[in-house]
Amino acid sequence: MSDTSDGPAPERHAAFRRLHHGDRPLLLPNAWDHASAAALVRRGFPAIGTTSLGVASAAGLPDATGAARDGTLALARGIARLPALVTVDIEGGFGNRPEEVAAVAAELDRAGVVGVNIEDGRPDGTLAPLARQYAVIEAVKERVPRLFVNARTDTHWLAAIDGGTPPSLATTAERIEAYVRAGADGIFVPALTDEQDIGALADDLGETPLNILFTPGRHTYERLAELGVRRISCGSLLFRAALDHAVDLAWSIAHPGAPALADQAADLPSYAEAQSLADDFTDDVTTADPT
C-alpha cells in the first residue's frame, strides 16, 4: 500500500527528477543544520541534501550507527519548509526491518522531503546482505513510490576507509543491478574515483542517474559531466571545510605568525544577514517554487 496522501505537491517530485536529467549534472550541496541549509538555498541551489556525518558530528554522535535518527528527522522537517527540493541521508534506513525503513521514508515524504539516500554499508565495516537491501529499497518504493530513492553502495567506500584495495567493478555492478531492479531511482557509489570505471557504470546504468561523491584533487565538475555522471554530491565536504576554516580563523586571531585570515572576516555575512536566515523558512512547503 502506497503512502502519498500528504507531503509535497507531485510537481516537486517531478522537478527533482528533472534535475537528474538536465543538460548539466545536479550539483547537490549537503547541509548539516538549518542555517547551512538556508544559506545554500539563498545562494541559489535548487536542491540540497543532508550529510549524515555533519548532522551526527554536530550533535556529538557517531555517524552511520543510527544514533542521529531523531536529529536527522527533526532537521528534515525543518528544512523541508525552505523554497528548495530536499533529499535526506538516512544512513542505513534507521530501522532493522524493511517495513521500518519504509515508515521512516513515509514520514519524511509527509514532511515535504522529495528524496532519500539509503546506504548498504554497516558500522562494522561490512555490507548489508544483498537480499536484505533489495527488500529495503523495494519496501520504500512500494510505500512511497514518488520518493526519489538514491541507493548507495559502499563497496568502494569501505575499502577507502580501511585503506584497502577497491573491489572489482563487477562486485559493485552486482549490487547496482539488484538495487535498480528493486526500484531505485538513482545509484550512488562514493569513493569511486577511477574515470574509466565511472564512465563504464554511467553507460551501463543508461537512464538511471549515477551519483558520484566529489573528491577534491581527483574530480572536477566538468570531467564528471563528460563521463556521464548525473548527480554530484558534496557529502560531508562542506561541513568539514566549515570546521577547518572556523578553527583556522580563531587561531590566526590569537597567533600573529599564522596565516592572516582575520582580514577575510570582513567579507563574511554580517550578524544581521546570518540572523535573517531564519526568515527563509516558509510555513507551507507546497507554496515554495524551487524551479
Side-chain angles (χ1 to χ4, degrees):
M1 178 179 177
S2 64
D3 186 352
T4 57
S5 57
D6 299 308
E11 58 266 23
R12 291 174 58 81
H13 292 85
F16 189 58
R17 292 177 187 280
R18 285 196 300 272
L19 289 175
H20 292 78
H21 297 282
D23 295 333
R24 304 274 285 170
L26 167 62
L27 178 64
L28 189 75
N30 300 81
W32 58 93
D33 61 10
H34 287 77
S36 58
L40 288 166
V41 174
R42 185 176 287 190
R43 188 60 180 265
F45 290 99
I48 58 172
T50 62
T51 160
S52 64
L53 174 65
V55 174
S57 184
L61 299 169
D63 182 28
T65 64
R69 178 188 186 280
D70 292 346
T72 298
L73 297 182
L75 175 62
R77 287 190 290 269
I79 65 176
R81 294 181 289 125
L82 290 167
L85 303 167
V86 175
T87 181
V88 176
D89 184 346
I90 59 173
E91 300 179 3
F94 298 142
N96 294 320
R97 295 177 295 157
E99 55 267 32
E100 293 175 341
V101 179
V104 170
E107 179 179 347
L108 289 170
D109 178 79
R110 288 191 296 271
V113 170
V114 298
V116 292
N117 192 79
I118 306 174
E119 63 197 43
D120 60 11
R122 293 295 173 261
D124 63 1
T126 63
L127 294 169
L130 185 56
R132 186 267 182 189
Q133 202 68 7
Y134 182 102
V136 165
I137 296 169
E138 187 177 46
V140 170
K141 291 302 295 183
E142 180 178 345
R143 179 76 180 268
V144 199
R146 66 186 181 182
L147 197 68
F148 190 103
V149 174
N150 198 43
R152 166 177 159 171
T153 181
D154 283 339
T155 52
H156 283 66
W157 177 257
L158 294 177
I161 293 297
D162 294 337
T165 302
S168 68
L169 198 59
T171 301
T172 300
E174 179 185 11
R175 286 186 168 261
I176 286 175
E177 291 169 3
Y179 299 163
V180 172
R181 289 198 307 272
D185 301 284
I187 294 295
F188 185 22
V189 190
L192 180 64
T193 57
D194 182 83
E195 290 191 355
Q196 184 174 350
D197 288 346
I198 292 173
L201 278 183
D203 288 341
D204 290 345
L205 282 168
E207 290 301 306
T208 302
L210 174 62
N211 181 190
I212 292 296
L213 181 67
F214 183 81
T215 304
R218 293 295 301 271
H219 295 150
T220 67
Y221 177 92
E222 294 297 339
R223 182 55 180 152
L224 289 175
E226 292 172 356
L227 293 171
V229 174
R230 303 310 313 153
R231 172 164 152 178
I232 302 170
S233 292
C234 294
S236 65
L237 177 62
L238 305 183
F239 171 69
R240 291 182 286 113
L243 287 180
D244 184 68
H245 184 70
V247 172
D248 283 349
L249 176 56
W251 189 260
S252 72
I253 294 171
H255 298 79
L261 299 178
D263 292 342
Q264 298 178 15
D267 297 324
L268 296 178
S270 67
Y271 175 90
E273 289 170 329
Q275 172 78 348
S276 72
L277 290 173
D279 299 334
D280 293 356
F281 290 88
T282 61
D283 292 329
D284 184 359
V285 68
T286 61
T287 64
D289 182 8
T291 60

